[in-house]
Amino acid sequence: MTTDIDDLMKKLVSLCKRRGFVFQSGEIYGGLQSSWDYGPLGVELKRNIEAGWWDFMVSTRPDVVGMDSAIITHPDVWKASGHLQHFHDPMVDCMKCKSRFRQDHVEGETCPECGGELTEPRDFGLMFKTSMGALEDDSATVYLRPETCQPIFVNFSNIVTATRQKLPFGIAQTGKAFRNEITARNFIFRSREFEQMEMEFFCRPEEAGRWFDYWVEQRLQWYRGLGIRSGNLRTRKHDESELAHYADSCVDIEYTFPFVTGGWGELEGIANRTDFDLKAQMEMSGQDLSFQDQAGNQKIVPWVIETSGGIGRTMLAVLLDAYREETVEGRERVVLGLHRDLAPIKVAVLPLSRKLDDRAEEVFRMVSPHLPSQFDVTGSIGKRYRRMDEAGTPFCVTFDFDSLEDRKVTVRERDSLGQIRTPIETLVDTLKDILASGWPDECGGA
Ligand code: ATP
């Protein structure tokens, strides 16, 4: 039976393919399960999310610096962090229908799919292993990082020495992480190769509680700033039994992902990781990763507040939140009401008739060095508007026959459908103004 939820996800997945946001990886060979390629619009949206995060977390703050670590990591990093011991889930297989489940997701000893008998639980390693160099023996084994945060701890002393940061301060990085998830599903919500945005904030132990509350608030504010409706976001504190072995406290920021049982799914975790990671890496490496406090002339192993989110999950939340179907002037349209800062294309330049292509292209060439733009000549003007609505493009600029005479074009706004007629000469400034401060009410709309 098709439910509304299935329907919404199907429609979104189909739009993502149609408009070039996300494709199934290896599709021409039948597809590689839960592996996704980002198309021309998807890569722009993903980059806009990442750039916005970097701006909010790093560029605009004196107390956070960035880094970019290698993906292939020294195995001892993961021994010290506990990943090699703890990073696996016990699994059971159905002997009849061959379905596989996480043991903690199954009640009783029979298969939830077919009632068949289940195997004994078996461990399933979640880290991707590979070999470095020509030999493939155990000494050559290395791992693709399953998270971006451990390389931050390992580089703690390098960064303190290089930047002379004083406590409290943060180190941030974004990038790929790899987990051989057993149940990777729900489009880009859970995949085996994904991108994280993480920040580790180092502080004095006695100040960790205050910084924890501060970062929960900051992170929530960031998600709201992406235009995600407040009612679709919430925070959830982990109770004792849920806490990871290293965490003192943890709050998840959740979104109303329609496919998650109970309605809410994790977007990001904010955790007080205490001094667990620095101490563990110190013990394994024998190196001193403490912070030398000049003022108090003492050595401190700082406590750490971590903010850890996913780019793909954020992108899915943004797309779900922005997707809408509506009827305007008797015609149906699908709109991605993306926040202007996130929209992959900010401006589409459209000649009303093929006869105007050359003159309209001059307008496109004027706008494109300043704003991400697209020039679209194929199909009726109505069809081109619909395509841009689906791509989430906030403004369409139409060049018509009058434009030849009055040197003006029409700017149409995606959501209100309001229009203004504006001189070509000042078009770039006009577009920059309305992108920065919004569509003026007096310009009207539906
Ligand atoms: P979950 O409980 O959903 O598996 P987690 O608690 O294991 O998530 P973390 O290890 O805290 O996740 O990772 C931080 C963030 O990285 C998550 O909030 C999520 O946004 C993202 N993330 C984690 N695993 C995946 C995955 N397999 N696919 C896509 N994003 C992921």
Side-chain angles (χ1 to χ4, degrees), residues 75-353:
D76 286 354
V77 171
W78 310 112
K79 273 188 204 146
S81 67
H83 280 82
L84 278 173
Q85 297 93 301
H86 299 292
F87 209 55
H88 46 77
D89 288 326
M91 301 299 301
V92 288
D93 290 314
C94 173
M95 293 192 254
K96 194 166 155 208
C97 74
K98 309 294 175 209
S99 300
R100 175 171 287 169
F101 310 94
R102 258 168 64 172
Q103 190 197 10
D104 61 340
H105 287 179
V106 181
E107 283 172 24
E109 286 163 9
T110 54
C111 171
E113 293 288 338
C114 74
E117 198 183 333
L118 298 173
T119 61
E120 286 296 304
R122 285 181 288 213
D123 273 350
F124 195 96
L126 290 187
M127 277 208 285
F128 279 93
K129 223 198 271 197
T130 185
S131 299
M132 200 156 193
L135 291 175
E136 287 195 9
D137 62 9
D138 282 354
S139 67
T141 300
V142 286
Y143 296 90
L144 305 190
R145 65 184 183 203
E147 58 180 34
T148 53
C149 72
Q150 282 309 318
I152 293 181
F153 299 120
V154 174
N155 278 287
F156 178 71
S157 282
N158 284 338
I159 289 177
V160 170
T161 310
T163 63
R164 306 259 147 225
Q165 287 283 343
K166 303 271 175 287
L167 292 180
F169 76 96
I171 305 175
Q173 94 157 318
T174 61
K176 293 257 170 155
F178 302 82
R179 294 181 192 174
N180 202 1
E181 303 268 10
I182 310 116
T183 47
R185 65 170 89 129
N186 293 326
F187 197 31
I188 53 176
F189 179 84
R190 187 180 304 285
S191 43
R192 297 194 170 98
E193 173 179 341
F194 57 99
E195 276 160 279
Q196 290 190 309
M197 315 178 274
E198 295 197 294
M199 194 269 316
E200 310 301 314
F201 197 76
F202 301 90
C203 62
R204 290 168 199 283
E206 62 275 18
E207 292 179 352
R210 183 165 72 79
W211 284 112
F212 179 79
D213 294 345
Y214 168 85
W215 282 111
V216 171
E217 209 30 63
Q218 288 289 304
R219 298 303 306 139
L220 200 53
Q221 194 182 313
W222 185 75
Y223 284 104
R224 288 192 187 122
L226 299 181
I228 298 178
R229 282 163 284 178
S230 290
N232 291 342
L233 286 169
R234 74 169 190 189
T235 54
R236 187 182 67 82
K237 197 170 175 359
H238 285 208
D239 62 35
E240 289 280 320
S241 61
E242 257 184 295
L243 284 177
H245 62 282
Y246 51 75
D248 176 75
S249 44
C250 187
V251 163
D252 284 346
I253 297 180
E254 298 184 330
Y255 178 76
T256 49
F257 287 108
F259 44 78
V260 180
T261 317
W264 293 91
E266 174 181 334
L267 265 180
E268 165 156 346
I270 296 126
N272 178 346
R273 294 180 74 116
T274 68
D275 54 7
F276 175 86
D277 304 273
L278 283 177
K279 279 200 168 147
Q281 298 292 351
M282 272 164 88
E283 203 169 301
M284 174 65 72
S285 65
Q287 303 286 318
D288 183 7
L289 300 181
S290 59
F291 182 85
Q292 178 69 44
D293 180 21
Q294 303 290 353
N297 197 22
Q298 52 171 178
K299 280 187 167 186
I300 304 169
V301 181
W303 277 35
V304 174
I305 308 305
E306 168 179 276
T307 72
S308 174
I311 300 183
R313 271 198 205 173
T314 303
M315 179 162 152
L316 183 55
V318 159
L319 287 169
L320 283 165
D321 220 68
Y323 182 95
R324 63 176 199 268
E325 295 168 1
E326 58 190 27
T327 308
V328 184
E329 291 154 6
R331 298 175 70 170
E332 286 185 3
R333 68 169 187 161
V334 171
V335 188
L336 276 187
L338 293 174
H339 189 289
R340 293 186 294 270
D341 291 350
L342 295 183
I345 307 166
K346 312 287 184 217
V347 181
V349 179
L350 316 172
L352 188 66
S353 147

